[in-house]
Amino acid sequence: MKKLVAVIAAAALFGGGTAARAEMVDRVAAVVNRDIIALSEVQQRVAPELSRINSPDPKKRAEQRALLMKTALDTLIGEKLMEGEIAQLGITATEAEVDELVADVRQQNNITEPAQFEQLLAGEGLTMAAYRDMLRKRILRDRLLRVKIGPKVKVTEEDLKAAYAQFARMESEDSEVHARHILVQVDPKATPEQVEAARKRAEAIAVEARRPGMDFSALARARSEGPSASDGGDLGWFKRGVMVPAFERVAFTLKEGEVSEPVRTNFGWHVLKVEEKRAVAATSYEEMRPKLEAKLYQEKTEKFLEQYVAELRQKASVEVKL
């Protein structure tokens, strides 16, 4: 970052041609007070989401990319502003606390080997050092928010009962799905051409799966590249909130016996078939209460966070160059 600042300062002092100035603008996404947010920081933050854009329409892809870049930049600006507040208040985090958070993340994802964890991070374009830095910043921001926002966030019994009534209404109308899938894997570092080639393979499999009399489970055993291939791609029964959103949206839209178009996730392209659907009974209030409380607390925190960042931004000098 210091090197980048020095390059910009030198360019301003000695002048330079249009190309040099264009390169400078390319490299700087925003200036927050005296801190610079580099374009590479925005690109790194948004990389996982960008890799999931799969619209065949170039205009839509460009619009989605622009929106993701803007959202990521706004988030980074907010984080820079909060970093200033953290420094001013003298809030700190120890290496032991970061170690504990890393261990929690590994445990939640059933990852026992450090090398496996680093490999997964590399798939998202992150080093362990960069990930630890992100976690450290998260701890610091959480502590700042507890000081600045915590006293304002309150979840009442009335809030919880209203949220449960809405949940029960939705769940009574919802269903549970039994589905199978065929996966065409895509490497996290795949080029757009490789991603498109994999999509075409998945599309051909979807056409094959729709042929009259085709046994989807046999096709999955023969063609799927996922771990469930040996089980005929069987995913069992699942409710909403279990699968990744893109996968779930399609699974709950399909009718019984229908086969989907290819669906993109972090793992690659999936072709889904819904075998059966069944109604589900709403979970009791007592069982749902802790989850609803956590959800409402998170929602209220995010609302107050937006207000807090807007106030900080109003008082700061923010110049967006993206």
Side-chain angles (χ1 to χ4, degrees):
M1 184 65 76
K2 286 180 182 176
K3 187 177 179 184
L4 182 58
V5 173
V7 169
I8 294 166
L13 183 62
F14 296 111
T18 306
R21 284 196 296 276
E23 186 180 354
M24 182 185 78
V25 173
D26 277 348
R27 289 177 177 273
V28 181
V31 182
V32 181
N33 294 325
R34 293 181 181 180
D35 288 328
I36 284 170
I37 296 174
L39 179 59
S40 59
E41 289 180 72
V42 186
Q43 289 169 332
Q44 184 182 33
R45 179 62 64 92
V46 86
E49 286 81 9
L50 285 178
S51 70
R52 287 192 277 274
I53 293 176
N54 56 23
S55 172
D57 182 348
K59 189 180 173 186
K60 265 191 185 170
R61 281 202 307 272
E63 286 171 358
Q64 289 170 346
R65 185 183 184 281
L67 180 60
L68 286 171
M69 291 288 283
K70 182 187 180 302
T71 303
L73 180 57
D74 284 341
T75 301
L76 286 166
I77 288 169
E79 288 174 6
K80 280 283 181 201
L81 292 168
M82 285 191 281
E83 280 171 23
E85 293 285 292
I86 287 162
Q88 196 174 335
L89 292 169
I91 298 169
T92 59
T94 65
E95 287 301 308
E97 287 169 329
V98 178
D99 290 340
E100 193 178 338
L101 201 48
V102 170
D104 283 347
V105 173
R106 279 176 49 186
Q107 187 178 15
Q108 285 165 21
N109 291 278
N110 298 314
I111 299 167
T112 53
E113 296 298 324
Q116 184 193 359
F117 189 54
E118 289 188 32
Q119 192 177 0
L120 286 170
L121 290 177
E124 294 290 340
L126 288 168
T127 62
M128 177 56 83
Y131 184 67
R132 286 180 65 85
D133 188 51
M134 282 170 59
L135 291 181
R136 183 180 295 103
K137 286 176 178 175
R138 178 177 142 191
I139 293 168
L140 295 173
R141 283 195 296 272
D142 285 350
R143 285 177 180 167
L144 173 68
L145 297 181
R146 274 203 293 273
V147 172
K148 295 288 183 179
I149 294 174
K152 299 177 185 177
V153 182
K154 304 225 183 308
V155 176
T156 66
E157 195 65 28
E158 288 74 20
D159 293 335
L160 289 166
K161 285 181 177 171
Y164 179 74
Q166 185 181 16
F167 161 80
R169 198 162 51 247
M170 285 174 63
E171 190 156 291
S172 64
E173 295 166 2
D174 209 349
S175 58
E176 196 173 29
V177 168
H178 176 208
R180 295 179 185 270
H181 79 133
I182 296 169
L183 172 66
V184 176
Q185 288 184 338
V186 176
D187 190 281
K189 295 177 183 174
T191 64
E193 291 78 16
Q194 289 170 325
V195 172
E196 179 58 17
R199 188 190 69 79
K200 285 181 178 173
R201 280 168 52 211
E203 206 167 52
I205 289 170
V207 171
E208 194 175 350
R210 291 191 196 102
R211 286 180 187 160
M214 175 57 71
D215 184 339
F216 192 92
S217 61
L219 187 62
R221 277 190 285 272
R223 307 291 290 279
S224 182
E225 296 167 0
S228 63
S230 59
D231 295 326
D234 194 4
L235 297 168
W237 289 93
F238 55 88
K239 298 178 183 179
R240 289 187 193 273
V242 175
M243 300 294 179
V244 293
F247 195 101
E248 188 177 272
R249 269 194 302 274
V250 174
F252 281 87
T253 304
L254 292 172
K255 294 174 184 171
E256 288 187 356
E258 271 192 318
V259 174
S260 74
E261 292 298 321
V263 180
R264 179 77 196 274
T265 72
N266 281 342
F267 304 102
W269 293 98
H270 305 256
V271 175
L272 281 75
K273 181 181 180 183
V274 168
E275 298 283 4
E276 299 172 83
K277 285 187 173 182
R278 66 187 180 195
V280 290
T283 313
S284 71
Y285 176 71
E286 288 71 25
E287 194 177 338
M288 282 302 300
R289 195 182 189 284
K291 292 178 186 175
L292 291 172
E293 190 168 19
K295 181 174 177 284
L296 289 175
Y297 187 88
Q298 182 66 29
E299 285 172 0
K300 291 194 176 196
T301 299
E302 284 171 7
K303 187 179 110 184
F304 283 115
L305 173 60
E306 281 176 22
Q307 292 173 3
Y308 176 56
V309 170
E311 287 166 16
L312 290 178
R313 193 161 176 165
Q314 220 169 14
K315 293 185 285 184
S317 168
V318 178
E319 188 182 355
V320 175
K321 294 179 176 287
L322 188 61

